[in-house]
Amino acid sequence: MPAIPKSPPRAAPARAPHDPGDLTEGRLVEIEAAAAALLGEFWKEADVPLRVSVFTEGAGVTVRERGGPQEPLYPHQGRLLRLDGAPVIEVCRALDRRTRRLLLAHALGHHVLGHERVPPEMPAHLEMTCRSPVEREATRFALALLLPRAALLRGMEEGWVSVKRLSEGFALPEACVRDRLMQLERHNRL
Protein backbone atom coordinates (compact mmCIF):
# COMPACT_ATOMS: atom_id res chain seq x y z
CA MET A 1 0.00 0.00 0.00
CA PRO A 2 1.46 3.40 -0.91
CA ALA A 3 2.35 5.73 1.94
CA ILE A 4 -0.05 8.55 2.58
CA PRO A 5 1.83 11.84 2.22
CA LYS A 6 1.79 14.18 5.19
CA SER A 7 -0.06 17.41 4.62
CA PRO A 8 1.89 20.36 6.01
CA PRO A 9 0.13 22.90 8.21
CA ARG A 10 -1.12 25.95 6.35
CA ALA A 11 0.33 28.37 8.89
CA ALA A 12 3.30 28.45 11.23
CA PRO A 13 4.98 25.36 9.80
CA ALA A 14 6.22 22.83 12.31
CA ARG A 15 9.85 23.43 13.14
CA ALA A 16 12.51 20.79 13.16
CA PRO A 17 12.49 18.69 16.32
CA HIS A 18 14.11 20.63 19.11
CA ASP A 19 15.73 19.53 22.33
CA PRO A 20 15.42 22.73 24.29
CA GLY A 21 17.41 21.94 27.43
CA ASP A 22 16.53 25.21 29.10
CA LEU A 23 14.50 27.93 27.44
CA THR A 24 16.99 30.43 26.09
CA GLU A 25 16.04 33.97 25.11
CA GLY A 26 16.42 32.97 21.46
CA ARG A 27 14.06 30.03 21.87
CA LEU A 28 11.52 32.22 23.68
CA VAL A 29 11.60 34.61 20.71
CA GLU A 30 11.01 31.67 18.34
CA ILE A 31 8.03 30.47 20.41
CA GLU A 32 6.48 33.96 20.50
CA ALA A 33 7.05 34.28 16.73
CA ALA A 34 5.33 30.95 16.05
CA ALA A 35 2.28 32.07 18.04
CA ALA A 36 2.37 35.50 16.34
CA ALA A 37 2.36 33.82 12.91
CA LEU A 38 -0.89 31.99 13.70
CA LEU A 39 -2.38 35.12 15.28
CA GLY A 40 -1.45 37.19 12.24
CA GLU A 41 -3.10 34.79 9.85
CA PHE A 42 -6.20 33.69 11.76
CA TRP A 43 -7.07 36.15 14.54
CA LYS A 44 -9.46 39.03 14.22
CA GLU A 45 -8.47 41.38 17.04
CA ALA A 46 -12.08 41.89 18.10
CA ASP A 47 -12.42 38.21 19.03
CA VAL A 48 -11.94 37.67 22.76
CA PRO A 49 -11.75 35.06 24.06
CA LEU A 50 -9.82 33.78 21.08
CA ARG A 51 -11.36 30.67 19.52
CA VAL A 52 -8.83 27.86 19.67
CA SER A 53 -10.63 25.99 16.87
CA VAL A 54 -9.68 28.77 14.43
CA PHE A 55 -6.01 28.07 15.10
CA THR A 56 -6.22 24.26 15.12
CA GLU A 57 -8.12 24.28 11.83
CA GLY A 58 -5.74 26.87 10.37
CA ALA A 59 -2.75 24.72 11.28
CA GLY A 60 -4.37 21.63 9.74
CA VAL A 61 -4.93 19.84 13.07
CA THR A 62 -8.06 17.77 13.71
CA VAL A 63 -9.59 17.86 17.21
CA ARG A 64 -11.43 14.81 18.59
CA GLU A 65 -13.36 14.69 21.84
CA ARG A 66 -12.82 11.64 24.04
CA GLY A 67 -13.78 10.50 27.52
CA GLY A 68 -16.61 11.84 29.61
CA PRO A 69 -19.76 9.78 30.26
CA GLN A 70 -19.66 8.42 26.70
CA GLU A 71 -16.21 6.92 27.20
CA PRO A 72 -15.52 6.67 30.94
CA LEU A 73 -12.35 4.59 30.55
CA TYR A 74 -10.50 7.19 28.45
CA PRO A 75 -7.37 7.70 30.60
CA HIS A 76 -6.05 11.07 29.41
CA GLN A 77 -6.84 14.77 29.69
CA GLY A 78 -5.67 15.02 26.12
CA ARG A 79 -2.84 14.23 23.76
CA LEU A 80 -1.31 14.99 20.38
CA LEU A 81 -1.24 12.07 17.96
CA ARG A 82 -0.38 11.42 14.34
CA LEU A 83 -3.02 9.31 12.62
CA ASP A 84 -2.21 8.31 9.04
CA GLY A 85 0.46 11.01 9.17
CA ALA A 86 -1.99 13.79 10.09
CA PRO A 87 -1.91 15.63 13.44
CA VAL A 88 -4.86 14.99 15.78
CA ILE A 89 -5.47 16.45 19.21
CA GLU A 90 -7.63 14.40 21.54
CA VAL A 91 -9.22 16.31 24.42
CA CYS A 92 -11.29 14.92 27.28
CA ARG A 93 -14.94 16.06 27.28
CA ALA A 94 -14.92 16.17 31.09
CA LEU A 95 -12.48 19.11 31.29
CA ASP A 96 -13.82 22.50 32.31
CA ARG A 97 -13.86 25.14 29.55
CA ARG A 98 -10.79 27.04 30.72
CA THR A 99 -8.58 23.97 31.09
CA ARG A 100 -9.85 22.57 27.79
CA ARG A 101 -8.88 25.77 25.93
CA LEU A 102 -5.43 25.75 27.53
CA LEU A 103 -4.89 22.07 26.75
CA LEU A 104 -5.88 22.50 23.09
CA ALA A 105 -3.51 25.45 22.64
CA HIS A 106 -0.76 23.59 24.52
CA ALA A 107 -1.10 20.50 22.30
CA LEU A 108 -1.18 22.74 19.23
CA GLY A 109 2.07 24.24 20.52
CA HIS A 110 3.68 20.79 20.51
CA HIS A 111 2.66 20.40 16.86
CA VAL A 112 3.69 23.88 15.68
CA LEU A 113 6.99 23.77 17.57
CA GLY A 114 7.89 20.39 16.06
CA HIS A 115 7.95 18.36 19.26
CA GLU A 116 8.08 14.66 18.49
CA ARG A 117 6.47 11.89 20.55
CA VAL A 118 5.09 13.93 23.41
CA PRO A 119 3.42 12.03 26.26
CA PRO A 120 -0.29 12.36 27.02
CA GLU A 121 -1.12 15.60 28.81
CA MET A 122 -1.31 15.82 32.59
CA PRO A 123 -2.18 18.84 34.76
CA ALA A 124 1.50 19.44 35.58
CA HIS A 125 2.36 19.78 31.85
CA LEU A 126 0.18 22.89 31.61
CA GLU A 127 2.17 24.87 34.17
CA MET A 128 5.19 27.06 33.48
CA THR A 129 6.89 25.39 36.45
CA CYS A 130 6.83 21.96 34.78
CA ARG A 131 10.26 20.32 34.84
CA SER A 132 10.11 19.32 31.17
CA PRO A 133 11.42 22.06 28.85
CA VAL A 134 9.27 20.72 25.98
CA GLU A 135 6.14 21.08 28.13
CA ARG A 136 7.17 24.60 29.20
CA GLU A 137 7.67 25.50 25.53
CA ALA A 138 4.18 24.25 24.64
CA THR A 139 2.63 26.16 27.54
CA ARG A 140 4.55 29.31 26.61
CA PHE A 141 3.17 28.98 23.08
CA ALA A 142 -0.37 28.46 24.41
CA LEU A 143 -0.19 31.59 26.57
CA ALA A 144 1.25 33.68 23.72
CA LEU A 145 -1.51 32.44 21.42
CA LEU A 146 -4.48 32.84 23.77
CA LEU A 147 -3.28 35.95 25.63
CA PRO A 148 -1.71 38.14 22.96
CA ARG A 149 -0.26 41.42 24.18
CA ALA A 150 -2.64 43.56 22.08
CA ALA A 151 -5.72 41.82 23.47
CA LEU A 152 -4.48 42.03 27.05
CA LEU A 153 -3.80 45.75 26.70
CA ARG A 154 -7.23 46.33 25.14
CA GLY A 155 -8.89 44.40 27.95
CA MET A 156 -7.05 46.48 30.53
CA GLU A 157 -8.06 49.69 28.75
CA GLU A 158 -11.67 48.50 28.97
CA GLY A 159 -11.38 48.05 32.73
CA TRP A 160 -10.32 44.42 33.01
CA VAL A 161 -7.61 45.25 35.51
CA SER A 162 -7.69 42.28 37.86
CA VAL A 163 -6.29 38.85 37.11
CA LYS A 164 -9.71 37.43 37.94
CA ARG A 165 -11.47 39.65 35.38
CA LEU A 166 -8.85 38.93 32.70
CA SER A 167 -9.21 35.21 33.45
CA GLU A 168 -12.96 35.46 32.95
CA GLY A 169 -12.66 37.54 29.78
CA PHE A 170 -10.08 35.28 28.15
CA ALA A 171 -11.63 32.05 29.52
CA LEU A 172 -8.35 30.77 30.95
CA PRO A 173 -7.22 29.80 34.45
CA GLU A 174 -6.02 32.70 36.61
CA ALA A 175 -2.55 31.14 36.93
CA CYS A 176 -2.15 31.38 33.14
CA VAL A 177 -3.04 35.07 33.12
CA ARG A 178 -0.54 35.71 35.94
CA ASP A 179 2.19 33.80 34.08
CA ARG A 180 1.56 35.67 30.83
CA LEU A 181 1.54 39.08 32.53
CA MET A 182 4.84 38.24 34.23
CA GLN A 183 6.33 37.06 30.91
CA LEU A 184 5.37 40.29 29.18
CA GLU A 185 6.51 42.46 32.07
CA ARG A 186 9.82 40.59 32.34
CA HIS A 187 10.53 41.33 28.69
CA ASN A 188 9.28 44.94 28.90
CA ARG A 189 6.43 44.26 26.48
CA LEU A 190 3.50 45.26 28.70
Side-chain angles (χ1 to χ4, degrees):
M1 176 187 312
I4 299 172
K6 291 183 180 181
S7 57
R10 292 181 295 207
R15 304 184 60 76
H18 179 72
D19 179 17
D22 201 11
L23 302 186
T24 64
E25 187 63 32
R27 185 60 177 160
L28 294 174
V29 168
E30 290 175 0
I31 293 166
E32 293 281 334
L38 277 177
L39 287 163
E41 189 163 346
F42 299 107
W43 179 47
K44 295 177 180 59
E45 289 196 28
D47 295 344
V48 171
L50 288 77
R51 291 182 28 231
V52 182
S53 62
V54 169
F55 301 115
T56 56
E57 290 167 11
V61 177
T62 301
V63 175
R64 295 187 334 181
E65 292 190 352
R66 300 284 308 266
Q70 299 88 332
E71 194 179 11
L73 297 179
Y74 181 70
H76 310 296
Q77 285 198 331
R79 61 187 179 158
L80 173 66
L81 308 166
R82 301 235 181 264
L83 300 177
D84 292 330
V88 175
I89 296 172
E90 291 183 345
V91 62
C92 184
R93 287 180 185 95
L95 293 176
D96 65 87
R97 179 176 183 233
R98 293 175 185 193
T99 304
R100 177 186 174 88
R101 288 170 43 73
L102 177 60
L103 187 134
L104 284 168
H106 174 96
L108 179 61
H110 283 308
H111 170 66
V112 170
L113 297 172
H115 299 160
E116 299 288 328
R117 294 192 175 137
V118 293
E121 302 302 347
M122 304 180 334
H125 290 176
L126 304 176
E127 299 173 4
M128 286 306 300
T129 57
C130 182
R131 296 185 81 189
S132 166
V134 171
E135 298 301 340
R136 286 197 315 273
E137 283 188 359
T139 297
R140 179 71 178 236
F141 173 89
L143 298 184
L145 185 70
L146 297 179
L147 294 165
R149 179 183 177 276
L152 280 167
L153 289 174
R154 191 174 63 247
M156 290 176 186
E157 288 169 1
E158 293 175 7
W160 298 4
V161 293
S162 70
V163 168
K164 180 178 181 178
R165 181 61 185 107
L166 288 165
S167 170
E168 292 166 356
F170 285 93
L172 287 169
E174 287 183 24
C176 293
V177 174
R178 270 191 224 86
D179 284 345
R180 183 62 175 157
L181 291 172
M182 286 191 302
Q183 291 168 6
L184 292 170
E185 187 176 305
R186 189 175 305 126
H187 296 280
N188 297 317
R189 294 185 187 135
L190 191 58

